[in-house]
Amino acid sequence: MTTAAPRRYLMCRPTHFAVTYRINPWMDPTAPYDNALAVSQWETLRRTFLGLGHTVELIEPLPGLPDMVFAANGATVVDGKVLAVQFRDAERADEAPAYKAWFENAGFPVFDSKHTNEGEGDILLAGDVLLAGTGFRTAHAAHAQTQEVFGRPVISLQLVDPAYYHLDTALCVLDERNIAYLPSAFSPGSQEVLRRLFPDAVLATPADAEVLGLNAVSDGRTVVLPVQATELTAALQAAGYETVGVDVSELRKAGGGPKCCTLEVRS
Ligand code: ARG
């Protein structure tokens, strides 16, 4: 386990959060949701990061983009380079230029995406390599571009369960050496890849995944995860991690958890 270095995160307040369309199985536009509760749950998440010593920067939420709170989908940022995103669904398309502009204004070199690429939702840095999901959102072709842009090996992983449509709903990077994941969310070949690369991984249960427990943010020492993921919390503690449970149940109605709300800015 590594020690926790302060992280820099980009987040987007869920001012305009709503569930008005359905682009993943968690979303039910006919079900009630509580915007004020979503904002207060998100605020608790932001304060949790600040309490752990991390920096949180904010991007202005735009009206008409109810999923913009899910900042992880706004870019992939590694070694000070930014790969912009291209959403699969028209409902989220206008988020891409907003996140791109934020990074340009902050002085980062930004590379345009040539294929569907939903950022850190599907592309996760694990030590020296990038783990990249495909099957539902990010195109397989985007993995090759990701490898070119960052000059780091990209390991392609095939997602097979529509409930776990982004890699970060099925896999969490815990530190430079280890991950937690739900095996059944991956194809047999990808499960074998994960077993080879991470023989000591923390395996999540279906019950953990159903509360989006794997959609967690780790700084290498402390894992911030949905409080409902009780089995995963115990497994992480047994593996030597500290845990902080947060309740983002309103955001889960859109298919998102703590990690979806958090884009790591790595300089
Ligand atoms: N409603 C959003 C979508 O389906 C949720 C995105 C969750 N983000 C994530 N990184 N998994 O696109």
Side-chain angles (χ1 to χ4, degrees):
M1 207 166 318
T2 48
T3 49
R7 307 286 170 126
R8 182 177 175 195
Y9 296 132
L10 178 62
M11 298 180 75
C12 180
R13 194 178 301 278
T15 311
H16 308 291
F17 174 74
V19 183
T20 52
Y21 50 78
R22 180 181 170 92
I23 56 172
N24 71 53
W26 303 80
M27 302 175 88
D28 177 1
T30 65
Y33 61 87
D34 182 339
N35 177 273
L37 182 56
V39 171
S40 77
Q41 291 178 336
W42 176 91
E43 194 55 56
T44 302
L45 177 64
R46 187 181 73 90
R47 291 225 183 91
T48 300
F49 292 141
L50 296 176
L52 289 168
H54 305 310
T55 302
V56 177
E57 297 190 59
L58 298 176
I59 181 172
E60 189 64 23
L62 297 175
L65 296 174
D67 275 335
M68 194 172 168
V69 58
F70 300 118
N73 301 125
T76 304
V77 191
V78 182
D79 301 324
K81 285 187 271 191
V82 177
L83 178 55
V85 298
Q86 189 177 305
F87 285 92
R88 181 195 66 176
D89 299 288
E91 290 89 341
R92 298 196 67 186
D94 289 345
E95 295 177 42
Y99 279 96
K100 182 182 173 189
W102 190 91
F103 281 102
E104 283 173 345
N105 290 337
F108 286 82
V110 179
F111 297 81
D112 281 320
S113 191
K114 295 195 194 120
H115 311 276
T116 299
N117 180 330
E118 299 201 354
E120 245 193 1
D122 276 322
I123 300 166
L124 297 170
L125 183 67
D128 287 334
V129 307
L130 290 157
L131 304 178
T134 189
F136 298 102
R137 301 292 182 89
T138 297
H140 189 243
H143 296 181
Q145 188 191 5
T146 302
Q147 177 161 291
E148 267 326 291
V149 166
F150 296 114
R152 286 172 178 261
V154 170
I155 313 283
S156 288
L157 300 167
Q158 192 71 41
L159 295 164
V160 296
D161 182 340
Y164 306 113
Y165 56 94
H166 276 141
L167 182 64
D168 72 356
T169 63
L171 185 152
C172 169
V173 175
L174 298 172
D175 59 32
E176 304 238 312
R177 275 176 284 281
N178 210 6
I179 63 169
Y181 67 102
L182 177 72
S184 64
F186 297 90
S187 68
S190 295
Q191 290 185 33
E192 210 175 317
V193 168
L194 290 170
R195 274 198 302 273
R196 271 175 204 277
L197 290 177
F198 304 101
D200 301 321
V202 174
L203 300 185
T205 63
D208 292 323
E210 275 163 29
V211 291
L212 287 178
L214 287 162
N215 197 254
V217 181
S218 177
D219 63 17
R221 180 164 60 197
T222 303
V223 185
V224 177
L225 79 168
V227 68
Q228 294 86 358
T230 50
E231 293 174 346
L232 182 59
T233 299
L236 290 170
Q237 289 172 354
Y241 297 93
E242 297 188 7
T243 60
V244 178
V246 290
D247 185 5
V248 288
S249 58
E250 280 309 299
L251 297 166
R252 195 164 73 228
K253 294 177 179 173
K259 168 64 200 142
C260 298
C261 297
T262 313
L263 176 60
E264 186 161 350
V265 181
R266 302 179 186 86
S267 31

